[in-house]
């Protein structure tokens, strides 16, 4: 009998984690990791934070690990199709890889705006290494830069460009960038940080057109105003790269619909990472979460399930962002109506913010307070009863509050 063969499509946070998890859980069959890009799997988060070391991007694993773990890496191979009937993964040259199970971990693509002029030269997006290299080259040209979309990637790029003395304007459809994810108070704090550094933030505006001969020269906004631009970064969200799965008949709805184990509607095909929607144990809502740590965990869990070891992800979602030398981190998810309280840090620049509902912390975010923030994880995951007055009192140890939870972490792994 031949050894089973698992094929993973997409070599990034989720795909690489899944391959490792299969080995860690005793899988002795063949593992092939197929990646469209020709680069060995690298970390994306640094791409928007410095634009240096782009010739030597941080690898997810040292190259030797793929050899040691017996993981076949096929680079520069965009998978063309998944043939469910024959159980074959079609490569671009028409070759087929027979597979006993397939994991789709194809992530997301940067969303385009669909307005005139968006394919002019120097209207860029930032998703992969090639994008980061193109943007880095524009740093040497100078400004003005217009960043369309005040999400984390846009704001991190704004901070880097300002650090190089470039004139930067951020155009954001919401009144305040990041208000949805951070809430109004924290989002306003981040906006002030940018404005202090000289970034112009135009909230409540959208772009109607990019203008130029061959290269972008102007950006037209919905109120008729016109901005000069030598470089534009469009950071207006992403779209799930679920075409392969859809074409294979997998049920998709805003991404590949997966259960808590990573199974899709087609038993041969599994899904993990940014491309997959799953029911969050924290919100009870089905969603896609585009964070490195979450993609990694979903990959780990799905890899284990694919080799018959039951696993679910019960960790609170986590992300971080670096801007102007400050680190913003967040665990959990808050909802409208949650109480918002702030615990001051040692300096005025440091703090931990909490969202509280029914006497429990739903989410916590911090600036330059990694230890304190880490102590909030068990509070959130353990649904520990807390008093807001304790949370905001720097004399009360968050770790001590969290210890109550450590032995009682409930199994809230969603549907
Ligand atoms: C610039 C940038 C900065 C970020 N910063 C942060 C941060 O600070 N903190 C944070 O938490 N998150 C951050 N993120 C988000 C984080 O990187 C993602 O959540 C994570 O990369 C998702 O991993 P993934 O494996 O699901 O998908 P992806 O990383 O999107 O990888 C999918 C892979 O699939 C490959 N692929 C697609 N189609 C095919 C095909 N047909 N055949 C073969 N291969 C295919 C792609 O080439 C790609 O390599 C950042 C993202 C970007 C782009």
């Amino acid at each position: 009998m031949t050894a089973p063969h698992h094929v993973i499509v997409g070599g990034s946070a989720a795909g690489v984690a899944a391959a490792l998890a299969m080995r860690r859980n005793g899988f002795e069959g063949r593992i092939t990791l197929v990646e469209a890009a020709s680069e060995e799997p690298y970390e994306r988060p640094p791409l928007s934070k410095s634009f240096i070391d782009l010739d030597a991007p941080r690898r997810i694993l040292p190259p030797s690990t793929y050899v040691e773990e017996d993981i076949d890496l096929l680079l520069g191979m965009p998978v063309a199709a998944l043939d469910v009937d024959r159980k074959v993964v079609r490569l671009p040259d028409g070759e087929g890889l027979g597979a006993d199970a397939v994991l789709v971990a194809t992530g997301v693509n940067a969303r385009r705006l669909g307005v005139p002029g968006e394919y002019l030269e120097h209207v860029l997006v930032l998703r992969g290494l090639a994008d980061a290299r193109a943007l880095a080259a524009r740093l040497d040209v100078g400004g003005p830069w217009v960043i369309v979309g005040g999400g984390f990637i846009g704001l991190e790029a704004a901070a880097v460009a300002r650090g190089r003395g470039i004139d930067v304007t951020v155009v954001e459809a919401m009144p305040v960038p990041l208000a949805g994810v951070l809430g109004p108070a924290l989002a306003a704090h981040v906006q002030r940080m940018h404005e202090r550094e000289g970034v112009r933030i135009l909230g409540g505006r959208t772009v109607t057109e990019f203008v130029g001969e061959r290269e972008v020269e102007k950006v037209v906004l919905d109120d008729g105003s016109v901005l000069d631009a030598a470089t534009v970064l469009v950071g207006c969200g992403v779209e799930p790269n679920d075409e392969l799965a859809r074409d294979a008949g997998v049920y998709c709805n805003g991404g590949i619909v997966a259960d808590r184990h990573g199974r899709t509607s087609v038993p041969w095909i599994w899904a993990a990472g940014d491309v997959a929607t799953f029911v969050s144990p924290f919100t009870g809502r089905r969603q896609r979460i585009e964070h490195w740590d979450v993609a990694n965990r979903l990959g780990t869990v799905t890899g284990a399930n694919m080799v018959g070891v039951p696993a679910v992800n019960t960790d609170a979602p986590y992300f971080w962002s670096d801007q102007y030398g400050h680190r913003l981190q967040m665990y959990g998810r808050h909802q409208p109506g949650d109480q918002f309280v702030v615990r001051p840090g040692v300096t005025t620049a440091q703090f931990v913010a909490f969202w509280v509902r029914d006497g429990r912390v739903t989410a916590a975010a911090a600036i330059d307070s990694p230890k304190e923030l880490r102590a909030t994880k068990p509070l959130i995951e353990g649904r520990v009863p807390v008093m807001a007055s304790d949370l905001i009192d720097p004399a009360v140890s968050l770790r001590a509050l969290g210890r109550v939870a450590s032995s009682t972490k409930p199994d809230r792994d969603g549907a």
Side-chain angles (χ1 to χ4, degrees):
M1 214 174 80
T2 54
H5 183 199
H6 288 179
V7 174
I8 299 168
V9 187
S12 186
V16 172
L20 276 186
M22 289 178 197
R23 286 291 180 238
R24 300 278 180 271
N25 285 288
F27 182 64
E28 291 180 351
R30 233 177 109 198
I31 301 175
T32 306
L33 187 58
V34 192
E35 166 55 42
S38 49
E39 297 283 340
E40 221 165 76
Y42 57 87
E43 296 185 359
R44 281 177 212 282
L47 297 185
S48 48
K49 294 173 179 62
S50 69
F51 298 118
I52 52 173
D53 293 336
L54 294 175
D55 290 333
R58 210 183 296 156
R59 303 288 175 201
I60 296 179
L61 295 177
S64 57
T65 308
Y66 298 100
V67 179
E68 286 154 18
E69 300 290 347
D70 196 13
I71 297 165
D72 292 337
L73 207 49
L74 291 187
L75 299 176
M77 285 281 181
V79 165
L82 302 175
D83 184 337
V84 179
D85 294 335
R86 292 185 181 76
K87 293 200 167 30
V88 164
V89 175
R90 291 267 165 238
L91 300 179
D93 56 7
E95 286 288 302
L97 289 173
D100 297 282
V102 174
L103 171 63
V104 178
T106 45
V108 291
N109 293 320
R111 178 138 39 91
R112 288 281 182 169
L113 288 171
V115 301
E118 69 177 330
Y119 291 101
L120 285 168
E121 274 184 38
H122 312 314
V123 179
L124 305 172
V125 295
L126 178 51
R127 187 71 214 158
L129 200 48
D131 303 327
R133 287 179 178 143
L135 206 54
R138 301 302 297 165
L139 283 174
D140 298 330
V141 175
W145 277 28
V146 175
I147 297 183
V148 187
F152 285 112
I153 290 175
L155 292 179
E156 287 177 351
V160 177
R162 273 310 293 150
R164 295 281 292 267
I166 290 174
D167 177 281
V168 179
T169 303
V170 174
V171 180
E172 163 59 42
M174 300 294 290
V176 178
L178 299 178
V181 58
L182 296 182
L186 198 47
H189 176 86
V190 173
Q191 170 155 340
R192 281 195 298 276
M193 186 165 79
H194 279 271
E195 288 173 341
R196 268 198 308 274
E197 297 288 340
V199 173
R200 203 174 306 108
I201 296 188
L202 304 179
R205 309 266 178 82
T206 56
V207 168
T208 55
E209 188 177 0
F210 299 107
V211 179
E213 279 291 310
R214 198 166 51 94
E215 303 177 352
V216 67
E217 290 166 22
K218 310 248 178 236
V219 180
V220 184
L221 305 188
D222 56 351
D223 62 356
S225 55
V226 179
L227 306 173
D228 289 333
T231 300
V232 171
L233 172 61
V234 178
C236 289
V238 293
E239 282 165 354
N241 195 1
D242 58 5
E243 204 178 318
L244 271 183
R246 266 190 284 126
D247 290 350
V250 174
Y251 176 56
C252 296
N253 186 4
I256 303 175
V257 175
D259 72 4
R260 62 189 169 149
H261 300 110
R263 284 197 187 85
T264 72
S265 63
V266 172
W268 181 57
I269 297 177
W270 302 65
D274 280 13
V275 71
T277 78
F278 62 98
V279 176
S280 161
F282 293 91
T283 62
R285 286 198 310 267
R286 179 167 283 283
Q287 59 193 143
R288 279 187 320 100
I289 295 184
E290 296 145 18
H291 302 336
W292 185 264
D293 185 67
V294 176
N296 190 294
R297 284 175 199 282
L298 290 176
T300 301
V301 158
T302 307
N305 287 310
M306 287 176 73
V307 299
V309 177
V312 290
N313 176 29
T314 58
D315 285 49
Y318 167 77
F319 73 84
W320 77 99
S321 174
D322 295 334
Q323 298 170 38
Y324 305 109
H326 296 291
R327 173 153 289 197
L328 167 70
Q329 297 167 287
M330 184 166 177
Y331 280 115
R333 281 288 184 274
H334 56 87
Q335 294 172 45
D338 287 2
Q339 184 188 3
F340 179 76
V341 295
V342 177
R343 175 186 180 97
V346 178
T347 72
T348 49
Q350 294 171 299
F351 59 84
V352 184
F354 296 89
W355 287 264
V356 181
R357 174 172 290 254
D358 299 332
R360 273 132 174 116
V361 180
T362 54
I367 292 195
D368 294 338
S369 310
K371 266 197 203 147
E372 298 254 275
L373 200 263
R374 216 171 303 128
T376 68
K377 189 172 187 271
L379 290 178
I380 297 169
E381 292 175 349
R383 296 182 52 77
V384 180
V386 290
M387 289 197 305
S389 55
D390 282 343
L391 295 174
I392 62 172
D393 183 352
V396 175
S397 159
L398 294 175
R399 285 184 64 187
L401 292 178
R403 256 179 237 128
V404 182
S406 53
S407 57
T408 57
K409 186 176 169 185
D411 181 22
R412 293 176 303 110
D413 47 16

